[in-house]
Structure formats: C-alpha cells, structure tokens
Amino acid sequence: MKQGLQTELSRLQNDLLELSHIGYDPESKGVFRLGFTEADMQARRWLIKKFEDEGFYARMDSAGNVIGSMQADANKPVVAMGSHIDSVPAGGMFDGTLGVLAGLECMRVLRDSGLDYQYPLEVYAFAEEEGRFGGMMGVQAITGELTPQWLENAHDASHIYLKDEMANCGLNAFDALTARLDPKHFRAFLELHIEQGPVLERIGKPIGVVEAISGVYKWLVRLIGKANHAGTAPMDMRSDAFMGLADFAHEIPRIINEEGSDKSRLTVGRVELKPGYAHTVPGEAEFTLVGRDTDPQTMRNLADACRRVLSSIARKHNLMFEFEQMSWLEPQAMSDEVIQAFCQQAERMELDYQVMPSGAGHDAQYMARITPTGMIFVPSVGGISHAPDEWTHWQDVHTGANLLLQTALKYAQGT
C-alpha cells in the first residue's frame, strides 16, 4: 500500500477494546448495549468524554445521538463520519463501533497533521440503530423522518415502549423531533463498517465499496389458537399455534424462490410460545419476521406472499393471524460521487476492492436521503456478526480506517 497520512492503529485498538468492556457479559462473552439501556447510555457518556479529552467538542442531542466536532460552531458544511454504538443482545465489538471510533481517529490525525482544510470533520454515534424499537431512531431524528405518532407507539418485542425507556434515561422521546439538522449542514457522510458477511473474505479482498443497501421490514406476528391439555386434546382437534409457525418456517424457502431474488432474506428471529408449559398445547405463537431485499418491488412481493401464506396456514390450523409492522425501510442506493471517491482513493492506495451491495441496514441509508453518502466494508472473519465471536483482523481494521481517512481528507480539503 502506498504510504501517506495514516491512522494510528494502536489508538484505534485501545478505543475499540475499551468500549467493548461496557455491556460485556462474561457468561455469553457478548456485548449487551441495547438501545436506551443503562449500558448504552454509559457508552455514550464514555464517548463524549473521549472526544472532550482530545480537545474536541461533543454533545448528546435530544434523540440520544452523540456528535463529536472539530469546531464548536462550524460555519461551513461538515464532512460527517460515523455509525452506531448500541448492540444487539450478545453482540460483537466491531458492529457500528468501528465506524464511530475510526471517525474519531480520523479527527485526531487531521488535527495533528497541520494540514489546512475547508470543511471540518464531525463524527456521529447514532442512537438505537439496531432497531430494538423498529427503524433507526437516531438517524431518523437527524434526517427529520420521525413523527409524534411513531414516538408514541414504538415498542420493542417485549412491549417495552420507547418513550418509557427514554424517560428512564432522562430523555423526553418527543424532544427527538427537534434533533433534525438542515441538509446544508453536511458536505458528505462516510461510514466504515464491518461487512457482516462472508464475501470479502471468500474473494480475498480487503475493501468493499457499497453500491446499495437492502431495504428491510420487521413484523411482529401472532398466530392465536386455543391452549389445551397436551394429553387429552386429540391431535386432529387442536388449534396449535406452534404448528402454524412450524408450517410457515417450512414455507420460507419456497416464498423466496417464487417471489424473491438472490439478495432476498426472510428470518424468524424471536419466538415466544404461550402459555409456554410443557404439558399444554400452545395457544399463541408470537414471533418476529424480518424481510430484506435491494429492490423495493421485490420487498413488497415478499411481504405480500408472507401475508398470504400466513393467512392460509392460519385457516388450516384453525388459528387467527395478526401482525404489526414495526418498521419498513426502503432500499437505498449510495451516491455515485462518494462511490467514485472511495474507489479512486483505494486505487491510489493500491488496495484491491469489490463494489457490492449491503444485505444489512445501516444509518447511511437515511443519510443518503439528505447528503452525498457512501460506505466501505472491511472483511468479517467467517462472515460472522451479531454474535460474540464477531471478528475483523486488525490489519483490515487499519486498512479500512486509512481509506476512510484519505477519502475524508479529500472532502475536507474540498478536492
């Protein structure tokens, strides 16, 4: 790789390892920083202190987003970087956090370089990206995509309401409506992220340049039958909610084959059977269903097919079917301008790269609606993410951070 201004890997390593201890669970060896839990808020306070200890300006806005800035009041559009620091249950140490802490490291390097720049850098740690309450609440607040109705009704799969959880953190959920920033505030948004898939490792390339982000919808589905005695209720006279769920799971490959594409995904990720007793026929099956694709019409086709199949299965097993759509995020293309900027810098640095889609949702898909936006991926070992054994080699972390730095520097200098 051609040498030039570089990030300092040891500082970035230390930041990533230090943050991984907040919310760490020794039993599962995973990170638990679910949105608006105490661990999540502790991580936000830690990040604010990190920025301030470096002499930067930092604040948490009314939506819980942490924003670190090179200048107290930028009078020119900013080159924004970032991602999120909340996690899924038993998550890994790189998902989201890499993009935030690499952004912090880029700010350090530019500060120490003595180079002139036209546009200052800013780093965003968006709140509640992992969709505990549906959607991506923090970046939706920044981009003006929140509504009072959504804030009133948003809840997680355990029926804990967003407004209540934010109140526990000393935040008023409806104040998030004031967090919107004028699109003119931004020159561009750049996000570094682990791939969370196996492609880069399989093809042996250190960098992925994202061309589009898959859309995603999340349902909370209920199949409601009749709880009954497991010994006395004849098999042909049951309204067994679990059998309905089992039949639907079996139909998923067919739905994708008929209505989807090679980029389609359907996942049943959480299941609760009620009353949940070994000697009782389940009277209710409640589960999450998440669908993804990079084409909006294909997403709608998948959703329609799931609705038809669930309705048919409910009739077959004498069940009632209902669902709540917790979120619907449309697919989003990345900016051609930023894609080209990443590719040009990768070629200048003699890095082999792959232009590719993202199967996972990211904050960048909302930022792309208001400013030129792009993403780069670094390889995930074994394609594993959202798990304690999520890992990316330090060399790849350094490569991705340096590409982020070089591209951010070009934007900051106005070139």
Side-chain angles (χ1 to χ4, degrees), residues 73 134 192 206 228 275 394:
D73 294 300
L192 169 63
N228 210 335
W394 292 122

Side-chain angles (χ1 to χ4, degrees), residues 14-23 31 33 43-44 46-47 85 97 101:
N14 290 339
D15 289 344
L16 285 162
L17 291 169
E18 190 175 337
L19 181 54
S20 73
H21 294 147
I22 300 177
V31 176
R33 287 200 301 266
R44 296 183 183 284
W46 173 90
L47 182 60
I85 58 173
T97 61
L101 296 178

Side-chain angles (χ1 to χ4, degrees), residues 345-396:
Q345 291 307 310
E347 290 165 7
R348 188 186 65 80
M349 298 166 67
E350 299 180 353
L351 296 174
D352 200 4
Y353 64 90
Q354 177 72 33
V355 177
M356 61 190 296
S358 170
H362 298 285
D363 295 300
Q365 66 195 95
Y366 276 100
M367 292 301 292
R369 301 179 185 182
I370 65 169
T371 192
T373 294
M375 286 191 74
I376 45 176
F377 283 161
V378 289
S380 295
V381 174
I384 296 170
S385 183
H386 282 192
D389 52 343
E390 171 184 280
W391 185 251
T392 292
H393 293 303
W394 292 122
Q395 179 182 354
D396 292 327

Side-chain angles (χ1 to χ4, degrees), residues 191 195 199-200 207-215 262-263 293-295 330-340 342-343 353-360 362 364-365 368 372-377:
E191 183 168 359
E195 182 196 348
V199 174
L200 291 176
I207 292 293
V209 177
V210 177
E211 59 184 346
I213 298 175
S214 289
D262 60 343
K263 299 179 179 66
D293 200 88
T294 55
D295 177 73
E330 289 285 332
Q332 179 65 56
M334 295 292 95
S335 162
D336 289 339
E337 170 196 311
V338 184
I339 291 171
Q340 184 178 16
F342 278 135
C343 292
Y353 64 90
Q354 177 72 33
V355 177
M356 61 190 296
S358 170
H362 298 285
Q365 66 195 95
T373 294
M375 286 191 74
I376 45 176
F377 283 161

Side-chain angles (χ1 to χ4, degrees), residues 126-318:
F126 296 110
E128 225 293 274
E129 187 270 355
E130 290 292 2
R132 175 187 174 190
F133 299 97
M136 298 179 186
M137 183 262 187
V139 71
Q140 286 178 273
I142 292 287
T143 57
E145 304 256 353
L146 292 182
T147 65
Q149 181 182 17
W150 186 86
L151 290 166
E152 175 70 32
N153 297 313
H155 61 81
D156 67 10
S158 299
H159 299 282
I160 297 172
Y161 278 81
L162 168 68
K163 61 184 180 182
D164 296 333
E165 202 76 323
M166 289 184 70
N168 291 336
C169 300
L171 298 169
N172 184 325
F174 298 97
D175 287 346
L177 296 168
T178 68
R180 177 184 177 271
L181 293 176
D182 190 326
K184 294 178 181 177
H185 179 75
F186 299 99
R187 169 67 186 89
F189 178 74
L190 314 175
E191 183 168 359
L192 169 63
H193 208 282
I194 57 171
E195 182 196 348
Q196 302 181 280
V199 174
L200 291 176
E201 184 180 57
R202 187 180 69 232
I203 63 178
K205 295 187 178 184
I207 292 293
V209 177
V210 177
E211 59 184 346
I213 298 175
S214 289
V216 57
Y217 65 86
K218 181 179 180 181
W219 289 358
L220 185 62
V221 181
R222 298 179 188 89
L223 294 174
I224 304 169
K226 176 67 176 175
N228 210 335
H229 194 291
T232 61
M235 296 300 291
D236 62 348
M237 296 179 65
R238 298 182 176 191
S239 297
D240 187 335
F242 173 73
M243 292 302 292
L245 168 59
D247 276 8
F248 175 68
H250 181 72
E251 288 293 304
I252 286 176
R254 182 184 65 80
I255 293 171
I256 290 179
N257 185 56
E258 293 181 359
E259 304 290 346
S261 71
D262 60 343
K263 299 179 179 66
S264 296
R265 307 287 188 268
L266 289 171
T267 304
V268 174
R270 175 188 175 276
V271 174
E272 183 179 2
L273 300 178
K274 300 176 183 179
Y277 183 61
H279 298 285
T280 302
V281 176
E284 181 177 337
E286 181 180 89
F287 58 95
T288 57
L289 175 64
V290 173
R292 302 175 188 268
D293 200 88
T294 55
D295 177 73
Q297 185 58 52
T298 301
M299 276 183 63
R300 289 189 285 272
N301 293 345
L302 288 170
D304 290 344
C306 288
R307 190 182 298 110
R308 289 194 303 270
V309 169
L310 283 162
S311 295
S312 176
I313 288 172
R315 290 193 297 272
K316 173 184 173 183
H317 291 283
N318 195 27

Side-chain angles (χ1 to χ4, degrees), residues 89-132:
M93 65 175 283
F94 292 101
D95 179 8
T97 61
L98 174 58
V100 174
L101 296 178
L104 167 60
E105 176 60 15
C106 289
M107 283 173 55
R108 289 179 181 131
V109 174
L110 182 55
R111 174 200 62 195
D112 297 341
S113 71
L115 295 174
D116 293 328
Y117 56 88
Q118 292 188 48
Y119 304 100
L121 304 184
E122 253 183 11
V123 176
Y124 287 72
F126 296 110
E128 225 293 274
E129 187 270 355
E130 290 292 2
R132 175 187 174 190

